Amino acid sequence: MTTRMRLWAVHVMLLVYAVLALAPVLLIAMNSFKSRKGIFRDPLALPTGETFSTVGYERVFANSDLWLWFANSLVVTVVTLAAVVVFGTMAAWALAAYRFRGRLVVGLFLALGIMVPIRLGTVAILDLMTSLGLTNTLAALILVYIAQGLPVAVFIFSEFMAQVPRDLADAARCDGVPEFRIYAHIVLPLIRPAIATVAIFVMVPIWNDLWFPLILAPGEGTRTITLGVQQFIGQYVTDWSAVLAALTLAVVPILVLYLALSRMMVRGLTEGALR
Amino acid sequence: MTRTRTRDGVHPGWITLTAFLAPAALIYGVFSVYPLARTIAFSFYRPQEGGAAQFAGLANFVTLFADPYWSEGFFNALWNNLIFFAVHMAVQNPVGIALAALLAVPGLKGRSLYRTTLFLPTMLSVVIVGFIWQLVLSPLWGVGEELMTAVGLGSWFAPWLGEESSALVTLSLISVWQFVGIPMLLVHVALLNIPRDLIDAARVDGAGAFGVFRHVQLPLVMPTVGLVSILTFIGNFNAFDLIYAVKGALAGPNFSTDILGTYFYRTFFGYQLQSGNAEMGATVATVMFLIILAGVMIYLFFMQKRMLRAI
């Protein structure tokens, strides 16, 4: 087989799988722009002048608090990410740069969280949140998600920080620069690519999570988008236009984030962590 | 400043050190480690009539394993979870490795576009993926049937998600469809890190493309496959969202898709007429913790052996 033919075969196989990966999502998005008749008569056809309709979207916006759910999810993920990046880089720097007694213990303590899913502590987490008066608040979700995100973040940041040349920090120390400034002004700017990697690994599971919103904050006012859409679909099962529109709307934000960060994520993976 | 230098590194002084480590350690300790420890502790207690819970030793575990009211549901969920995991191992890893190998073919154009596309489902919410496939496979809508008819397999179509015999495997495959991106991407990265010389040397020795993959690349990415396997194991044994979104808390039909995550949820929160039970919920969570711990131990045992051999 010539190289050319082999490359063609590879393209064909990858294309077939790409269709398998994309088709279900595209099918949903395409049909969300059709009338009920169009959805059922010919599901595989693009919307035409006759079948085009945005009635599903109108119904989602009229009958749900989509914007509120979206805002809740945004607050939870952004605040969590900010805290994870700040606290995570601080801890990772301490573990990577300093030699002190108990370093291994602290490292293993944090590594435990990578192996053991935080969900298993749910019974006590709910108990704790109830006694703190935090049930049905976004704060409850944020605190749990920070705790969930930190171990992975510290792990990824440490990998990157191990590559920061030692002389850089040492030179600053010779000039009498305080440790915190070394971290904030020398180290942080150098590990910026790691932040994109962490952003994906921390934000996506939080944005997509159903478990903790369902248990800690199921109230109307604190629903995240994943929980909100799940409940909405449960309620409007028979309204196909609305269901398809709700699903499409739920995919859009994560799609935008992914397309914005995917290049950096792969670079982060190839150059730093998990190598 | 109390920072000191020793031969093996810098010590910034305990105050600075604490300032760096405390925020992360505190939040993680209070909202992750402490609840986990407390959940395990809960599993040794039993609520008393109108009073504080009382220490009950292993009684909750005996109930879970031996009282048919609990054990039937528990062992059913455990067995289903094993099938769920087995399908992932049997399908997700080989497909992921194959895609990674295809993506690594030298001279391939559009590599990053393929990579971005193939990884896309992994980024979506499990809940959304569950609903999407529920619609695609719905006999009411008929898309799945129509597509299968188009390729001549129309008579094979069945309402897979609705039948007791096929619902669990169908859900497992939906999950595989979503998460195949993880082995693909990680193995792809591992393949990129293999030194070019090694592959060239095998080529010079007369190995074909497949021979190089089979005898040089595949053995070198096995540690990554091991990593993916343990990540899949951990993910599968606390999965919940997909089953709950598609089948609800009762994991029907007739509990045929019930896995430990959904069983835990029902035990802890209750459903329909049965009220929730925090101590039994904690007991189920503790067993799930032990299962995951056992998996991690086995993984570390084999990895350590590997590492020792490498030295």
Side-chain angles (χ1 to χ4, degrees), chain B residues 131-145 148 157-161 170-171 174:
Chain B
F131 282 127
I132 288 179
W133 276 100
Q134 198 175 14
L135 296 184
V136 171
L137 295 175
S138 162
L140 205 65
W141 200 14
V143 177
E145 194 167 6
M148 287 187 69
F157 184 82
W160 289 299
L161 276 174
T170 309
L171 282 166
I174 292 172

mmCIF file with all atom_site columns, all heavy atoms in Angstrom, chain B residues 131-145 148 157-161 170-171 174:
data_model
loop_
_atom_site.group_PDB
_atom_site.id
_atom_site.type_symbol
_atom_site.label_atom_id
_atom_site.label_alt_id
_atom_site.label_comp_id
_atom_site.label_asym_id
_atom_site.label_entity_id
_atom_site.label_seq_id
_atom_site.pdbx_PDB_ins_code
_atom_site.Cartn_x
_atom_site.Cartn_y
_atom_site.Cartn_z
_atom_site.occupancy
_atom_site.B_iso_or_equiv
_atom_site.pdbx_formal_charge
_atom_site.auth_seq_id
_atom_site.auth_comp_id
_atom_site.auth_asym_id
_atom_site.auth_atom_id
_atom_site.pdbx_PDB_model_num
ATOM 1   N N   . PHE B 1 131 ? -30.022 12.548 27.390 1.00 0.00 ? 131 PHE B N   1
ATOM 2   C CA  . PHE B 1 131 ? -31.272 12.962 26.746 1.00 0.00 ? 131 PHE B CA  1
ATOM 3   C C   . PHE B 1 131 ? -31.160 12.878 25.227 1.00 0.00 ? 131 PHE B C   1
ATOM 4   O O   . PHE B 1 131 ? -32.087 12.430 24.546 1.00 0.00 ? 131 PHE B O   1
ATOM 5   C CB  . PHE B 1 131 ? -31.645 14.386 27.153 1.00 0.00 ? 131 PHE B CB  1
ATOM 6   C CG  . PHE B 1 131 ? -32.256 14.474 28.519 1.00 0.00 ? 131 PHE B CG  1
ATOM 7   C CD1 . PHE B 1 131 ? -31.744 15.341 29.475 1.00 0.00 ? 131 PHE B CD1 1
ATOM 8   C CD2 . PHE B 1 131 ? -33.346 13.685 28.859 1.00 0.00 ? 131 PHE B CD2 1
ATOM 9   C CE1 . PHE B 1 131 ? -32.302 15.423 30.737 1.00 0.00 ? 131 PHE B CE1 1
ATOM 10  C CE2 . PHE B 1 131 ? -33.912 13.760 30.126 1.00 0.00 ? 131 PHE B CE2 1
ATOM 11  C CZ  . PHE B 1 131 ? -33.387 14.637 31.072 1.00 0.00 ? 131 PHE B CZ  1
ATOM 12  N N   . ILE B 1 132 ? -30.009 13.324 24.694 1.00 0.00 ? 132 ILE B N   1
ATOM 13  C CA  . ILE B 1 132 ? -29.828 13.311 23.238 1.00 0.00 ? 132 ILE B CA  1
ATOM 14  C C   . ILE B 1 132 ? -29.992 11.891 22.707 1.00 0.00 ? 132 ILE B C   1
ATOM 15  O O   . ILE B 1 132 ? -30.752 11.633 21.772 1.00 0.00 ? 132 ILE B O   1
ATOM 16  C CB  . ILE B 1 132 ? -28.443 13.893 22.859 1.00 0.00 ? 132 ILE B CB  1
ATOM 17  C CG1 . ILE B 1 132 ? -28.433 15.412 23.079 1.00 0.00 ? 132 ILE B CG1 1
ATOM 18  C CG2 . ILE B 1 132 ? -28.098 13.559 21.404 1.00 0.00 ? 132 ILE B CG2 1
ATOM 19  C CD1 . ILE B 1 132 ? -27.107 16.087 22.771 1.00 0.00 ? 132 ILE B CD1 1
ATOM 20  N N   . TRP B 1 133 ? -29.314 10.938 23.336 1.00 0.00 ? 133 TRP B N   1
ATOM 21  C CA  . TRP B 1 133 ? -29.396 9.556  22.848 1.00 0.00 ? 133 TRP B CA  1
ATOM 22  C C   . TRP B 1 133 ? -30.772 8.942  23.087 1.00 0.00 ? 133 TRP B C   1
ATOM 23  O O   . TRP B 1 133 ? -31.231 8.112  22.309 1.00 0.00 ? 133 TRP B O   1
ATOM 24  C CB  . TRP B 1 133 ? -28.303 8.704  23.481 1.00 0.00 ? 133 TRP B CB  1
ATOM 25  C CG  . TRP B 1 133 ? -27.020 8.844  22.715 1.00 0.00 ? 133 TRP B CG  1
ATOM 26  C CD1 . TRP B 1 133 ? -25.958 9.624  23.048 1.00 0.00 ? 133 TRP B CD1 1
ATOM 27  C CD2 . TRP B 1 133 ? -26.697 8.215  21.468 1.00 0.00 ? 133 TRP B CD2 1
ATOM 28  N NE1 . TRP B 1 133 ? -24.987 9.527  22.086 1.00 0.00 ? 133 TRP B NE1 1
ATOM 29  C CE2 . TRP B 1 133 ? -25.408 8.668  21.107 1.00 0.00 ? 133 TRP B CE2 1
ATOM 30  C CE3 . TRP B 1 133 ? -27.361 7.320  20.620 1.00 0.00 ? 133 TRP B CE3 1
ATOM 31  C CZ2 . TRP B 1 133 ? -24.775 8.247  19.936 1.00 0.00 ? 133 TRP B CZ2 1
ATOM 32  C CZ3 . TRP B 1 133 ? -26.736 6.906  19.461 1.00 0.00 ? 133 TRP B CZ3 1
ATOM 33  C CH2 . TRP B 1 133 ? -25.462 7.372  19.127 1.00 0.00 ? 133 TRP B CH2 1
ATOM 34  N N   . GLN B 1 134 ? -31.407 9.381  24.160 1.00 0.00 ? 134 GLN B N   1
ATOM 35  C CA  . GLN B 1 134 ? -32.760 8.892  24.408 1.00 0.00 ? 134 GLN B CA  1
ATOM 36  C C   . GLN B 1 134 ? -33.675 9.276  23.246 1.00 0.00 ? 134 GLN B C   1
ATOM 37  O O   . GLN B 1 134 ? -34.487 8.472  22.796 1.00 0.00 ? 134 GLN B O   1
ATOM 38  C CB  . GLN B 1 134 ? -33.272 9.494  25.715 1.00 0.00 ? 134 GLN B CB  1
ATOM 39  C CG  . GLN B 1 134 ? -34.461 8.764  26.300 1.00 0.00 ? 134 GLN B CG  1
ATOM 40  C CD  . GLN B 1 134 ? -34.839 9.333  27.652 1.00 0.00 ? 134 GLN B CD  1
ATOM 41  O OE1 . GLN B 1 134 ? -34.399 10.415 28.046 1.00 0.00 ? 134 GLN B OE1 1
ATOM 42  N NE2 . GLN B 1 134 ? -35.659 8.601  28.376 1.00 0.00 ? 134 GLN B NE2 1
ATOM 43  N N   . LEU B 1 135 ? -33.496 10.502 22.757 1.00 0.00 ? 135 LEU B N   1
ATOM 44  C CA  . LEU B 1 135 ? -34.312 10.940 21.619 1.00 0.00 ? 135 LEU B CA  1
ATOM 45  C C   . LEU B 1 135 ? -33.918 10.193 20.347 1.00 0.00 ? 135 LEU B C   1
ATOM 46  O O   . LEU B 1 135 ? -34.775 9.734  19.592 1.00 0.00 ? 135 LEU B O   1
ATOM 47  C CB  . LEU B 1 135 ? -34.167 12.453 21.407 1.00 0.00 ? 135 LEU B CB  1
ATOM 48  C CG  . LEU B 1 135 ? -34.667 13.352 22.531 1.00 0.00 ? 135 LEU B CG  1
ATOM 49  C CD1 . LEU B 1 135 ? -34.540 14.813 22.135 1.00 0.00 ? 135 LEU B CD1 1
ATOM 50  C CD2 . LEU B 1 135 ? -36.116 13.039 22.874 1.00 0.00 ? 135 LEU B CD2 1
ATOM 51  N N   . VAL B 1 136 ? -32.601 10.074 20.116 1.00 0.00 ? 136 VAL B N   1
ATOM 52  C CA  . VAL B 1 136 ? -32.145 9.426  18.887 1.00 0.00 ? 136 VAL B CA  1
ATOM 53  C C   . VAL B 1 136 ? -32.639 7.971  18.833 1.00 0.00 ? 136 VAL B C   1
ATOM 54  O O   . VAL B 1 136 ? -33.031 7.478  17.774 1.00 0.00 ? 136 VAL B O   1
ATOM 55  C CB  . VAL B 1 136 ? -30.607 9.479  18.786 1.00 0.00 ? 136 VAL B CB  1
ATOM 56  C CG1 . VAL B 1 136 ? -30.104 8.625  17.633 1.00 0.00 ? 136 VAL B CG1 1
ATOM 57  C CG2 . VAL B 1 136 ? -30.135 10.918 18.618 1.00 0.00 ? 136 VAL B CG2 1
ATOM 58  N N   . LEU B 1 137 ? -32.633 7.312  19.976 1.00 0.00 ? 137 LEU B N   1
ATOM 59  C CA  . LEU B 1 137 ? -33.025 5.898  19.996 1.00 0.00 ? 137 LEU B CA  1
ATOM 60  C C   . LEU B 1 137 ? -34.521 5.698  20.199 1.00 0.00 ? 137 LEU B C   1
ATOM 61  O O   . LEU B 1 137 ? -35.008 4.566  20.227 1.00 0.00 ? 137 LEU B O   1
ATOM 62  C CB  . LEU B 1 137 ? -32.265 5.170  21.114 1.00 0.00 ? 137 LEU B CB  1
ATOM 63  C CG  . LEU B 1 137 ? -30.746 5.083  20.951 1.00 0.00 ? 137 LEU B CG  1
ATOM 64  C CD1 . LEU B 1 137 ? -30.123 4.442  22.172 1.00 0.00 ? 137 LEU B CD1 1
ATOM 65  C CD2 . LEU B 1 137 ? -30.383 4.291  19.695 1.00 0.00 ? 137 LEU B CD2 1
ATOM 66  N N   . SER B 1 138 ? -35.244 6.812  20.363 1.00 0.00 ? 138 SER B N   1
ATOM 67  C CA  . SER B 1 138 ? -36.668 6.681  20.639 1.00 0.00 ? 138 SER B CA  1
ATOM 68  C C   . SER B 1 138 ? -37.432 6.065  19.467 1.00 0.00 ? 138 SER B C   1
ATOM 69  O O   . SER B 1 138 ? -37.336 6.543  18.345 1.00 0.00 ? 138 SER B O   1
ATOM 70  C CB  . SER B 1 138 ? -37.241 8.065  20.946 1.00 0.00 ? 138 SER B CB  1
ATOM 71  O OG  . SER B 1 138 ? -38.643 8.036  20.805 1.00 0.00 ? 138 SER B OG  1
ATOM 72  N N   . PRO B 1 139 ? -38.203 5.004  19.722 1.00 0.00 ? 139 PRO B N   1
ATOM 73  C CA  . PRO B 1 139 ? -39.002 4.406  18.647 1.00 0.00 ? 139 PRO B CA  1
ATOM 74  C C   . PRO B 1 139 ? -40.100 5.372  18.196 1.00 0.00 ? 139 PRO B C   1
ATOM 75  O O   . PRO B 1 139 ? -40.588 5.289  17.076 1.00 0.00 ? 139 PRO B O   1
ATOM 76  C CB  . PRO B 1 139 ? -39.607 3.158  19.283 1.00 0.00 ? 139 PRO B CB  1
ATOM 77  C CG  . PRO B 1 139 ? -39.197 3.146  20.702 1.00 0.00 ? 139 PRO B CG  1
ATOM 78  C CD  . PRO B 1 139 ? -38.375 4.346  21.012 1.00 0.00 ? 139 PRO B CD  1
ATOM 79  N N   . LEU B 1 140 ? -40.454 6.283  19.073 1.00 0.00 ? 140 LEU B N   1
ATOM 80  C CA  . LEU B 1 140 ? -41.496 7.256  18.769 1.00 0.00 ? 140 LEU B CA  1
ATOM 81  C C   . LEU B 1 140 ? -41.045 8.186  17.643 1.00 0.00 ? 140 LEU B C   1
ATOM 82  O O   . LEU B 1 140 ? -41.801 8.528  16.747 1.00 0.00 ? 140 LEU B O   1
ATOM 83  C CB  . LEU B 1 140 ? -41.746 8.083  20.038 1.00 0.00 ? 140 LEU B CB  1
ATOM 84  C CG  . LEU B 1 140 ? -43.112 8.727  20.193 1.00 0.00 ? 140 LEU B CG  1
ATOM 85  C CD1 . LEU B 1 140 ? -44.177 7.663  20.311 1.00 0.00 ? 140 LEU B CD1 1
ATOM 86  C CD2 . LEU B 1 140 ? -43.107 9.617  21.435 1.00 0.00 ? 140 LEU B CD2 1
ATOM 87  N N   . TRP B 1 141 ? -39.781 8.600  17.719 1.00 0.00 ? 141 TRP B N   1
ATOM 88  C CA  . TRP B 1 141 ? -39.243 9.518  16.722 1.00 0.00 ? 141 TRP B CA  1
ATOM 89  C C   . TRP B 1 141 ? -38.799 8.738  15.489 1.00 0.00 ? 141 TRP B C   1
ATOM 90  O O   . TRP B 1 141 ? -38.978 9.165  14.349 1.00 0.00 ? 141 TRP B O   1
ATOM 91  C CB  . TRP B 1 141 ? -38.080 10.310 17.332 1.00 0.00 ? 141 TRP B CB  1
ATOM 92  C CG  . TRP B 1 141 ? -37.781 11.572 16.591 1.00 0.00 ? 141 TRP B CG  1
ATOM 93  C CD1 . TRP B 1 141 ? -38.566 12.188 15.664 1.00 0.00 ? 141 TRP B CD1 1
ATOM 94  C CD2 . TRP B 1 141 ? -36.609 12.368 16.717 1.00 0.00 ? 141 TRP B CD2 1
ATOM 95  N NE1 . TRP B 1 141 ? -37.954 13.330 15.213 1.00 0.00 ? 141 TRP B NE1 1
ATOM 96  C CE2 . TRP B 1 141 ? -36.758 13.465 15.836 1.00 0.00 ? 141 TRP B CE2 1
ATOM 97  C CE3 . TRP B 1 141 ? -35.442 12.272 17.488 1.00 0.00 ? 141 TRP B CE3 1
ATOM 98  C CZ2 . TRP B 1 141 ? -35.784 14.461 15.719 1.00 0.00 ? 141 TRP B CZ2 1
ATOM 99  C CZ3 . TRP B 1 141 ? -34.486 13.260 17.369 1.00 0.00 ? 141 TRP B CZ3 1
ATOM 100 C CH2 . TRP B 1 141 ? -34.649 14.342 16.491 1.00 0.00 ? 141 TRP B CH2 1
ATOM 101 N N   . GLY B 1 142 ? -38.186 7.601  15.730 1.00 0.00 ? 142 GLY B N   1
ATOM 102 C CA  . GLY B 1 142 ? -37.838 6.716  14.621 1.00 0.00 ? 142 GLY B CA  1
ATOM 103 C C   . GLY B 1 142 ? -36.570 7.064  13.873 1.00 0.00 ? 142 GLY B C   1
ATOM 104 O O   . GLY B 1 142 ? -36.304 6.506  12.816 1.00 0.00 ? 142 GLY B O   1
ATOM 105 N N   . VAL B 1 143 ? -35.733 7.963  14.408 1.00 0.00 ? 143 VAL B N   1
ATOM 106 C CA  . VAL B 1 143 ? -34.509 8.316  13.703 1.00 0.00 ? 143 VAL B CA  1
ATOM 107 C C   . VAL B 1 143 ? -33.559 7.122  13.628 1.00 0.00 ? 143 VAL B C   1
ATOM 108 O O   . VAL B 1 143 ? -33.031 6.783  12.568 1.00 0.00 ? 143 VAL B O   1
ATOM 109 C CB  . VAL B 1 143 ? -33.798 9.502  14.392 1.00 0.00 ? 143 VAL B CB  1
ATOM 110 C CG1 . VAL B 1 143 ? -32.492 9.811  13.692 1.00 0.00 ? 143 VAL B CG1 1
ATOM 111 C CG2 . VAL B 1 143 ? -34.697 10.716 14.392 1.00 0.00 ? 143 VAL B CG2 1
ATOM 112 N N   . GLY B 1 144 ? -33.371 6.482  14.781 1.00 0.00 ? 144 GLY B N   1
ATOM 113 C CA  . GLY B 1 144 ? -32.470 5.333  14.832 1.00 0.00 ? 144 GLY B CA  1
ATOM 114 C C   . GLY B 1 144 ? -32.901 4.258  13.859 1.00 0.00 ? 144 GLY B C   1
ATOM 115 O O   . GLY B 1 144 ? -32.097 3.706  13.101 1.00 0.00 ? 144 GLY B O   1
ATOM 116 N N   . GLU B 1 145 ? -34.200 3.981  13.847 1.00 0.00 ? 145 GLU B N   1
ATOM 117 C CA  . GLU B 1 145 ? -34.732 2.943  12.970 1.00 0.00 ? 145 GLU B CA  1
ATOM 118 C C   . GLU B 1 145 ? -34.526 3.308  11.499 1.00 0.00 ? 145 GLU B C   1
ATOM 119 O O   . GLU B 1 145 ? -34.084 2.492  10.693 1.00 0.00 ? 145 GLU B O   1
ATOM 120 C CB  . GLU B 1 145 ? -36.212 2.742  13.270 1.00 0.00 ? 145 GLU B CB  1
ATOM 121 C CG  . GLU B 1 145 ? -36.777 1.474  12.678 1.00 0.00 ? 145 GLU B CG  1
ATOM 122 C CD  . GLU B 1 145 ? -38.148 1.148  13.245 1.00 0.00 ? 145 GLU B CD  1
ATOM 123 O OE1 . GLU B 1 145 ? -38.698 1.974  14.004 1.00 0.00 ? 145 GLU B OE1 1
ATOM 124 O OE2 . GLU B 1 145 ? -38.656 0.070  12.922 1.00 0.00 ? 145 GLU B OE2 1
ATOM 125 N N   . MET B 1 148 ? -30.916 2.875  10.504 1.00 0.00 ? 148 MET B N   1
ATOM 126 C CA  . MET B 1 148 ? -30.523 1.478  10.393 1.00 0.00 ? 148 MET B CA  1
ATOM 127 C C   . MET B 1 148 ? -31.130 0.840  9.154  1.00 0.00 ? 148 MET B C   1
ATOM 128 O O   . MET B 1 148 ? -30.512 0.000  8.507  1.00 0.00 ? 148 MET B O   1
ATOM 129 C CB  . MET B 1 148 ? -30.921 0.717  11.654 1.00 0.00 ? 148 MET B CB  1
ATOM 130 C CG  . MET B 1 148 ? -30.023 1.092  12.816 1.00 0.00 ? 148 MET B CG  1
ATOM 131 S SD  . MET B 1 148 ? -30.295 0.111  14.274 1.00 0.00 ? 148 MET B SD  1
ATOM 132 C CE  . MET B 1 148 ? -29.689 -1.474 13.738 1.00 0.00 ? 148 MET B CE  1
ATOM 133 N N   . PHE B 1 157 ? -33.452 -3.179 14.611 1.00 0.00 ? 157 PHE B N   1
ATOM 134 C CA  . PHE B 1 157 ? -33.777 -2.112 15.542 1.00 0.00 ? 157 PHE B CA  1
ATOM 135 C C   . PHE B 1 157 ? -34.761 -2.577 16.609 1.00 0.00 ? 157 PHE B C   1
ATOM 136 O O   . PHE B 1 157 ? -35.687 -3.325 16.342 1.00 0.00 ? 157 PHE B O   1
ATOM 137 C CB  . PHE B 1 157 ? -34.362 -0.902 14.810 1.00 0.00 ? 157 PHE B CB  1
ATOM 138 C CG  . PHE B 1 157 ? -34.629 0.259  15.715 1.00 0.00 ? 157 PHE B CG  1
ATOM 139 C CD1 . PHE B 1 157 ? -33.601 1.113  16.070 1.00 0.00 ? 157 PHE B CD1 1
ATOM 140 C CD2 . PHE B 1 157 ? -35.896 0.465  16.255 1.00 0.00 ? 157 PHE B CD2 1
ATOM 141 C CE1 . PHE B 1 157 ? -33.832 2.178  16.936 1.00 0.00 ? 157 PHE B CE1 1
ATOM 142 C CE2 . PHE B 1 157 ? -36.131 1.523  17.114 1.00 0.00 ? 157 PHE B CE2 1
ATOM 143 C CZ  . PHE B 1 157 ? -35.097 2.378  17.460 1.00 0.00 ? 157 PHE B CZ  1
ATOM 144 N N   . ALA B 1 158 ? -34.505 -2.126 17.831 1.00 0.00 ? 158 ALA B N   1
ATOM 145 C CA  . ALA B 1 158 ? -35.424 -2.419 18.927 1.00 0.00 ? 158 ALA B CA  1
ATOM 146 C C   . ALA B 1 158 ? -35.354 -1.240 19.891 1.00 0.00 ? 158 ALA B C   1
ATOM 147 O O   . ALA B 1 158 ? -34.380 -0.495 19.876 1.00 0.00 ? 158 ALA B O   1
ATOM 148 C CB  . ALA B 1 158 ? -35.017 -3.705 19.638 1.00 0.00 ? 158 ALA B CB  1
ATOM 149 N N   . PRO B 1 159 ? -36.378 -1.057 20.714 1.00 0.00 ? 159 PRO B N   1
ATOM 150 C CA  . PRO B 1 159 ? -36.308 0.016  21.712 1.00 0.00 ? 159 PRO B CA  1
ATOM 151 C C   . PRO B 1 159 ? -35.342 -0.371 22.834 1.00 0.00 ? 159 PRO B C   1
ATOM 152 O O   . PRO B 1 159 ? -35.754 -0.681 23.945 1.00 0.00 ? 159 PRO B O   1
ATOM 153 C CB  . PRO B 1 159 ? -37.748 0.148  22.210 1.00 0.00 ? 159 PRO B CB  1
ATOM 154 C CG  . PRO B 1 159 ? -38.394 -1.145 21.898 1.00 0.00 ? 159 PRO B CG  1
ATOM 155 C CD  . PRO B 1 159 ? -37.676 -1.747 20.737 1.00 0.00 ? 159 PRO B CD  1
ATOM 156 N N   . TRP B 1 160 ? -34.046 -0.323 22.506 1.00 0.00 ? 160 TRP B N   1
ATOM 157 C CA  . TRP B 1 160 ? -33.028 -0.856 23.417 1.00 0.00 ? 160 TRP B CA  1
ATOM 158 C C   . TRP B 1 160 ? -33.061 -0.282 24.823 1.00 0.00 ? 160 TRP B C   1
ATOM 159 O O   . TRP B 1 160 ? -32.832 -0.988 25.790 1.00 0.00 ? 160 TRP B O   1
ATOM 160 C CB  . TRP B 1 160 ? -31.628 -0.619 22.826 1.00 0.00 ? 160 TRP B CB  1
ATOM 161 C CG  . TRP B 1 160 ? -31.354 -1.472 21.652 1.00 0.00 ? 160 TRP B CG  1
ATOM 162 C CD1 . TRP B 1 160 ? -31.326 -2.844 21.621 1.00 0.00 ? 160 TRP B CD1 1
ATOM 163 C CD2 . TRP B 1 160 ? -31.065 -1.039 20.327 1.00 0.00 ? 160 TRP B CD2 1
ATOM 164 N NE1 . TRP B 1 160 ? -31.027 -3.271 20.354 1.00 0.00 ? 160 TRP B NE1 1
ATOM 165 C CE2 . TRP B 1 160 ? -30.860 -2.189 19.553 1.00 0.00 ? 160 TRP B CE2 1
ATOM 166 C CE3 . TRP B 1 160 ? -30.944 0.207  19.734 1.00 0.00 ? 160 TRP B CE3 1
ATOM 167 C CZ2 . TRP B 1 160 ? -30.549 -2.130 18.190 1.00 0.00 ? 160 TRP B CZ2 1
ATOM 168 C CZ3 . TRP B 1 160 ? -30.636 0.273  18.392 1.00 0.00 ? 160 TRP B CZ3 1
ATOM 169 C CH2 . TRP B 1 160 ? -30.454 -0.887 17.635 1.00 0.00 ? 160 TRP B CH2 1
ATOM 170 N N   . LEU B 1 161 ? -33.335 1.036  24.908 1.00 0.00 ? 161 LEU B N   1
ATOM 171 C CA  . LEU B 1 161 ? -33.303 1.662  26.238 1.00 0.00 ? 161 LEU B CA  1
ATOM 172 C C   . LEU B 1 161 ? -34.478 1.222  27.104 1.00 0.00 ? 161 LEU B C   1
ATOM 173 O O   . LEU B 1 161 ? -34.442 1.357  28.315 1.00 0.00 ? 161 LEU B O   1
ATOM 174 C CB  . LEU B 1 161 ? -33.313 3.187  26.100 1.00 0.00 ? 161 LEU B CB  1
ATOM 175 C CG  . LEU B 1 161 ? -31.958 3.855  25.864 1.00 0.00 ? 161 LEU B CG  1
ATOM 176 C CD1 . LEU B 1 161 ? -32.138 5.334  25.608 1.00 0.00 ? 161 LEU B CD1 1
ATOM 177 C CD2 . LEU B 1 161 ? -31.038 3.638  27.056 1.00 0.00 ? 161 LEU B CD2 1
ATOM 178 N N   . THR B 1 170 ? -26.930 -0.667 26.562 1.00 0.00 ? 170 THR B N   1
ATOM 179 C CA  . THR B 1 170 ? -27.127 0.526  25.743 1.00 0.00 ? 170 THR B CA  1
ATOM 180 C C   . THR B 1 170 ? -26.624 1.769  26.466 1.00 0.00 ? 170 THR B C   1
ATOM 181 O O   . THR B 1 170 ? -25.902 2.592  25.891 1.00 0.00 ? 170 THR B O   1
ATOM 182 C CB  . THR B 1 170 ? -28.622 0.692  25.392 1.00 0.00 ? 170 THR B CB  1
ATOM 183 O OG1 . THR B 1 170 ? -29.102 -0.538 24.870 1.00 0.00 ? 170 THR B OG1 1
ATOM 184 C CG2 . THR B 1 170 ? -28.828 1.799  24.384 1.00 0.00 ? 170 THR B CG2 1
ATOM 185 N N   . LEU B 1 171 ? -26.984 1.892  27.746 1.00 0.00 ? 171 LEU B N   1
ATOM 186 C CA  . LEU B 1 171 ? -26.507 3.040  28.523 1.00 0.00 ? 171 LEU B CA  1
ATOM 187 C C   . LEU B 1 171 ? -24.983 3.031  28.632 1.00 0.00 ? 171 LEU B C   1
ATOM 188 O O   . LEU B 1 171 ? -24.337 4.071  28.550 1.00 0.00 ? 171 LEU B O   1
ATOM 189 C CB  . LEU B 1 171 ? -27.135 3.031  29.919 1.00 0.00 ? 171 LEU B CB  1
ATOM 190 C CG  . LEU B 1 171 ? -28.580 3.529  29.983 1.00 0.00 ? 171 LEU B CG  1
ATOM 191 C CD1 . LEU B 1 171 ? -29.234 3.163  31.301 1.00 0.00 ? 171 LEU B CD1 1
ATOM 192 C CD2 . LEU B 1 171 ? -28.638 5.040  29.799 1.00 0.00 ? 171 LEU B CD2 1
ATOM 193 N N   . ILE B 1 174 ? -23.623 4.345  25.442 1.00 0.00 ? 174 ILE B N   1
ATOM 194 C CA  . ILE B 1 174 ? -23.787 5.793  25.358 1.00 0.00 ? 174 ILE B CA  1
ATOM 195 C C   . ILE B 1 174 ? -22.650 6.469  26.128 1.00 0.00 ? 174 ILE B C   1
ATOM 196 O O   . ILE B 1 174 ? -22.036 7.431  25.672 1.00 0.00 ? 174 ILE B O   1
ATOM 197 C CB  . ILE B 1 174 ? -25.161 6.227  25.925 1.00 0.00 ? 174 ILE B CB  1
ATOM 198 C CG1 . ILE B 1 174 ? -26.283 5.725  25.017 1.00 0.00 ? 174 ILE B CG1 1
ATOM 199 C CG2 . ILE B 1 174 ? -25.233 7.750  26.087 1.00 0.00 ? 174 ILE B CG2 1
ATOM 200 C CD1 . ILE B 1 174 ? -27.680 5.942  25.578 1.00 0.00 ? 174 ILE B CD1 1
#
